[in-house]
């Protein structure tokens, strides 16, 4: 049967992969939700586990021949529990969006109200943005950050008292500050709301003890596994379970919502790769890595402030920076395009209460997880801030952008990817 290599059978796809590999090697990957997995994670991801159907959960499958799949799935669940101090973990969500959707269906009835962060203030599409189907099913009400860039807890409490939500949802994709889970839980308890945190962006930082952990505090926590956690593309749900009856019911409800409620057969090659990534995250080196992500982000913060950039939320406590670039006479889209030409990958992004459109917003979002994986530290951050500044200042000058690109290639050569 299958005898040909990828290159022999499909040279076009092979070439696309090789070109993307070169792009990753030669560029500075600064989209804060991206990272580079280890060769071990890649190996598990590309393994023969992709051949197997295993609908159900370990030891309760609808298919025969699942004994080794069960082992692999348990090998993902155990370190995940350890990393986050979780009582119950579901590692089957295909990614963050299905994880969030499964939780909504597990814990809410159609029409019930959820308080979630406004997208332009750092929230996420799947937290009830009007363009999503979830917004047609549940009643999402949006809270915002205050003028200092903090989550406005007084306003959140007022909104909770007014709207009586069934759930308060925190966790953000463009918000750069720490989250006070205890204070938010107190508000939720006051109005009898459930608490959900989506820690997709900061899961690796939480696992390493570099940011507050909502898992022991909140009712349910979702995450992706491929951002700061540096695993394969996928999702995960954590909640309390075990001893307390009603909480155990949630664990069951959540499992049922993932399968059969929302998904079919789990992607077991992906789950095995999650297991590898979680094992890696338990190693002491991962703590050093997570600490360096934050140090690098702080250096960038200082360098951009020095260069008169406008940092949303007043700066960063995590891995990302949201920068309003309009004071530099450029839009977020123009900045993204210029930086692309300079070999620096970021994404255009809305800033709080942005008056521009999502396709051409005022800001750019950038982060340090991927460049930190390459081994870059404080010295390189200063250099990178210079490159970004030069590209933004000279966004209409192709020769200058090409010159920055050459400098970026020289820099990345010193930090090979694989
Ligand atoms: N798309 C991810 C991000 O870039 O933040 C979130 O889902």
């Amino acid at each position: 049967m299958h005898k040909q290599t990828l290159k022999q059978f499909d040279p076009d796809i092979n070439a696309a992969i090789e070109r993307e590999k070169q792009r990753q090697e030669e560029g500075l990957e600064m989209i804060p939700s991206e990272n580079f997995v280890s060769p071990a994670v890649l190996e598990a991801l590309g393994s023969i586990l992709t051949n197997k159907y295993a609908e159900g959960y370990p030891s309760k499958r609808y298919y025969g021949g699942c004994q080794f799949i069960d082992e692999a799935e348990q090998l993902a669940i155990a370190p995940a529990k350890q990393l986050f101090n979780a009582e119950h973990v579901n590692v089957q969500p295909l990614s963050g969006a299905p994880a969030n959707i499964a939780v909504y269906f597990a814990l809410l009835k159609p029409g019930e109200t959820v308080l979630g962060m406004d997208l332009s203030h750092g929230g996420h599409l799947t937290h009830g943005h009007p363009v999503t189907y979830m917004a047609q099913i549940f009643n999402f009400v949006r809270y915002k950050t205050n003028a200092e860039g903090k989550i406005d807890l007084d306003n959140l409490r007022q909104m909770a008292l007014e709207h009586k939500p069934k759930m308060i949802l925190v966790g953000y994709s463009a918000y750069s500050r720490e989250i006070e889970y205890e204070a938010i839980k107190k508000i939720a308890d006051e109005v009898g709301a459930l608490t959900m945190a989506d820690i997709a962006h900061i899961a690796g930082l939480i696992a390493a003890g570099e940011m507050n952990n909502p898992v022991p505090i909140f009712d349910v926590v979702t995450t992706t596994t491929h951002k700061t956690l540096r695993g394969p593309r996928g999702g995960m749900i954590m909640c309390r379970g075990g001893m307390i009856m009603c909480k155990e019911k949630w664990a069951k409800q959540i499992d049922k919502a993932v399968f059969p409620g929302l998904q079919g057969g789990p992607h077991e090659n992906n789950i095995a790769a999650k297991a590898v990534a979680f094992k890696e995250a338990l190693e002491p080196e991962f703590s050093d890595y997570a600490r360096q992500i934050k140090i690098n982000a702080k250096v960038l913060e200082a360098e951009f402030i020095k260069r008169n950039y406008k940092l949303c939320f007043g700066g960063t406590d995590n891995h990302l920076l949201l920068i309003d670039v309009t004071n530099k006479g450029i839009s977020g889209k123009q900045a993204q395009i210029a930086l692309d030409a300079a070999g620096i990958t970021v994404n255009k992004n809305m800033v709080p209460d942005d008056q521009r459109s999502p396709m051409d917003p005022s800001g750019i979002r950038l982060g340090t997880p991927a460049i930190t994986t390459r081994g870059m530290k404080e010295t390189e951050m200063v250099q990178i801030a210079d490159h970004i500044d030069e590209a933004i200042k000279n966004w209409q000058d192709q020769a200058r952008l090409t010159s920055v690109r050459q400098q970026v290639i020289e820099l990345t050569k010193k930090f090979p990817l694989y």
Side-chain angles (χ1 to χ4, degrees):
M1 46 182 256
H2 315 303
K3 289 204 172 63
Q4 288 178 305
T5 63
L6 175 63
K7 193 172 175 185
Q8 288 162 341
F9 179 72
D10 197 334
D12 295 336
I13 279 290
N14 189 65
I17 292 171
E18 288 302 318
R19 284 198 296 271
E20 170 60 13
K21 193 168 159 202
Q22 187 183 356
R23 190 195 69 80
Q24 291 186 13
E25 281 278 1
E26 291 184 347
L28 288 168
E29 191 53 75
M30 296 190 71
I31 291 176
S33 47
E34 294 186 9
N35 213 329
F36 301 116
V37 297
S38 70
V41 168
L42 274 183
E43 207 177 315
L45 202 53
S47 73
I48 48 77
L49 295 190
T50 196
N51 297 336
K52 186 75 191 99
Y53 253 120
E55 284 175 16
Y57 289 99
S59 76
K60 281 174 277 177
R61 306 281 187 184
Y62 289 86
Y63 289 80
C66 288
Q67 59 272 42
F68 307 117
I69 295 295
D70 280 1
E71 266 175 38
E73 194 161 330
Q74 294 290 14
L75 283 168
I77 292 168
K81 285 183 174 174
Q82 200 180 332
L83 279 171
F84 294 98
N85 193 14
E87 289 176 13
H88 181 76
V89 176
N90 187 311
V91 291
Q92 293 193 0
L94 300 178
S95 203
N100 288 346
I101 293 167
V103 171
Y104 302 150
F105 280 107
L107 303 184
L108 304 172
K109 291 191 193 72
E112 285 186 326
T113 298
V114 181
L115 277 188
M117 175 89 98
D118 188 272
L119 185 70
S120 77
H121 286 246
H124 191 255
L125 270 180
T126 61
H127 298 177
H129 191 276
V131 298
T132 64
Y133 290 136
M134 290 308 106
Q136 295 174 17
I137 297 171
F138 306 106
N139 175 37
F140 287 90
V141 178
R142 269 159 285 284
Y143 60 92
K144 296 183 173 188
T145 54
N146 61 19
E148 288 82 50
K150 299 277 153 69
I151 296 165
D152 190 336
L153 291 175
D154 291 334
N155 178 252
L156 182 62
R157 180 170 175 272
Q158 283 312 319
M159 289 180 76
L161 290 168
E162 182 188 339
H163 295 281
K164 305 207 175 357
K166 179 74 191 290
M167 181 189 275
I168 296 181
L169 169 52
V170 307
Y172 315 110
S173 59
Y175 185 62
S176 52
R177 309 305 320 213
E178 183 55 280
I179 301 168
E180 302 304 327
Y181 299 104
E182 303 265 11
I184 294 168
K185 171 78 172 133
K186 217 166 132 199
I187 295 171
D189 285 346
E190 196 181 337
V191 298
L194 296 168
T195 43
M196 169 177 170
D198 174 348
I199 58 167
H201 265 259
I202 53 175
L205 300 176
I206 292 172
E210 289 294 323
M211 292 198 80
N212 294 340
N213 181 8
V215 175
I217 303 166
F218 269 34
D219 294 305
V220 59
V221 175
T222 60
T223 186
T224 50
T225 48
H226 50 272
K227 298 185 174 94
T228 47
L229 198 48
R230 211 164 56 180
R233 209 153 276 280
M236 178 161 87
I237 304 173
M238 295 168 274
C239 66
R240 279 178 267 156
M243 307 305 284
I244 309 163
M245 275 314 284
C246 68
K247 303 288 159 41
E248 175 156 326
K249 201 166 133 217
W250 288 348
K252 281 190 183 140
Q253 276 170 229
I254 281 166
D255 285 353
K256 275 169 71 181
V258 173
F259 173 83
L262 185 68
Q263 295 184 177
H267 295 184
E268 293 291 345
N269 57 322
N270 186 285
I271 288 172
K274 286 175 185 170
V276 177
F278 300 159
K279 192 173 178 190
E280 288 173 352
L282 285 167
E283 297 285 314
E285 293 76 34
F286 191 84
S287 299
D288 298 340
Y289 164 64
R291 198 170 314 117
Q292 191 66 44
I293 288 178
K294 282 178 64 181
I295 293 170
N296 286 350
K298 273 288 175 204
V299 175
L300 286 179
E301 173 193 280
E303 293 300 314
F304 283 120
I305 288 173
K306 232 189 262 174
R307 291 166 178 78
N308 192 32
Y309 279 84
K310 195 173 155 200
L311 303 190
C312 301
F313 315 119
T316 184
D317 298 322
N318 58 23
H319 62 301
L320 71 81
L321 295 158
L322 183 62
I323 306 179
D324 184 337
V325 288
T326 51
N327 67 336
K328 298 287 176 181
I330 185 171
S331 73
K333 181 180 172 186
Q334 288 162 336
Q336 179 189 303
I337 292 169
L339 289 165
D340 247 342
I344 302 169
T345 315
V346 304
N347 67 275
K348 58 181 181 283
N349 213 98
M350 304 277 275
V351 301
D353 296 322
D354 208 326
Q355 297 305 305
R356 300 179 63 92
S357 81
M359 286 312 287
D360 191 9
S362 300
I364 53 171
R365 187 185 66 149
L366 53 89
T368 55
I371 53 177
T372 306
T373 292
R374 293 186 83 144
M376 295 183 189
K377 296 204 164 112
E378 291 92 317
T379 315
E380 289 76 39
M381 294 308 120
V382 176
Q383 212 176 327
I384 289 168
D386 260 337
H387 294 329
I388 292 175
D389 186 37
E390 184 163 1
I392 286 181
K393 284 200 301 219
N394 298 288
W395 66 281
Q396 289 167 303
D397 182 338
Q398 279 310 315
R400 293 290 286 274
L401 295 176
T402 305
S403 145
V404 177
R405 188 184 187 88
Q406 279 315 317
Q407 295 171 63
V408 165
I409 290 174
E410 288 312 311
L411 172 62
T412 55
K413 269 189 200 151
K414 294 186 217 150
F415 297 91
L417 251 188
Y418 290 106

